Amino acid sequence: MGVIKMYQIDAFTNELFKGNPAAVCLMEELLSDKEMQNIAMENNLAETAFVRQIEGTKYSIRWFTPKAEVDLCGHATLASAYVLFSKKHYGDNQISFMSLNSGELIVTKSGDLLEMDFPQDHIEQAELSNDLLNAMGIRPESVFKGKTDYLMVYSSEKQIQLLEPNLEVLSKLDARGVIVTSKGDEVDFVSRFFAPQIGIDEDPVTGSAHTTLMPYWTKRLNHSVLLARQISERGGVLRCRLEGDRVIIGGQAKLFFEANIYL
C-alpha cells in the first residue's frame, strides 16, 4: 500500500476560510491518470495538484478537478509552491514547475508573497451569442474569447455582484468557463469565474483567469501593474503585472490541514 502526503491550502489569502482551497499531493512515485482523477473526485475541491520532483529545483505538476484534468490552474500552483517552501523547507527562493500543456511555470518567493510567472492568454473579440446572454441574464459591454474561456466585460462592480448565471446553459458552452469582469470600486478590476463544464459552478479565486484578464485591463487602464479582487463568496486578492508575454500573479496562502492518502 502506497502513502501519499496531501495538504489542503487556502490560496490567494492570508486568512483561513477565505481565498480558494486546493489540495496538493506530493508524489514519490508516478500515479496513473485514473488514480489522480479518483483522488481529485474524492477531495471534491475545485482542483487537486499532483507534484513530483524531477531534479533539483524542477517539479512536474498536473491539476485535476473532480471531473477532468485541466491545462492550467493558478491557485493550486500557488498552493503547491507554498507547501514546498513552508513544509518541505525548500531552500531556494524560486521553484520551476513543468506542466504538460502550459510549459514551464516559475514561482518566486518574495517575503510572504508568492509570485507565479504564467504565459498570457491572447483574446479576440467575440459575438454575444443568445446562449451567453441567456446564461448571464445581464447584457455585457463586450465579449472576448481566449484559449479556453469567454471573457464578458460589464460596466460596474454592482453588475458583477448581481449576476446569477444559469449553470445548465453555461455547462453546454464550447469553453472551459466564463470570466465576468468590470472596473473595481476599490481595486483596479474585479471578476468572477464560472465553469460548470469541468465541475466548478463558481470558482472562489482563479489565477489562470488572470492570464486573460490582465492583457485586457492593462490595455484599457494603460498600466501594467494592477490590483485585482475576485468577488466570489470567499473572495481573494491578486497582485498582478504584465511583463512582455508573461503575467506575474502574486498572492499569499494559508495551511488548513495535512493528511495521508493510502492507496
Side-chain angles (χ1 to χ4, degrees), residues 188-189 214 217-218 221 223-228 238-240:
D188 292 303
F189 66 89
M214 275 299 289
W217 285 110
T218 295
L221 299 178
H223 205 298
S224 61
V225 180
L226 300 174
L227 184 63
L238 307 92
R239 294 165 176 82
C240 307

Side-chain angles (χ1 to χ4, degrees), residues 170-202:
L170 277 185
S171 68
K172 297 174 183 177
L173 294 175
D174 182 23
R176 178 186 71 155
V178 176
I179 309 161
V180 294
T181 188
S182 74
K183 289 183 68 175
D185 295 337
E186 298 177 347
V187 296
D188 292 303
F189 66 89
V190 298
S191 67
R192 293 171 70 186
F193 180 70
F194 307 98
Q197 300 92 320
I198 56 172
I200 305 168
D201 289 348
E202 179 171 2

Side-chain angles (χ1 to χ4, degrees), residues 3 33 37 46 55 57 79 97 108 119 139 142 149 152 158 168 181-182 186 202 237 249 255 258-259:
V3 180
D33 289 5
Q37 187 62 74
E55 60 177 358
T57 61
F97 291 108
T108 302
R139 181 176 291 272
S142 54
D149 303 319
M152 302 178 70
K158 187 66 174 177
E168 183 179 354
T181 188
S182 74
E186 298 177 347
E202 179 171 2
V237 175
I249 304 168
L255 173 68
E258 52 187 275

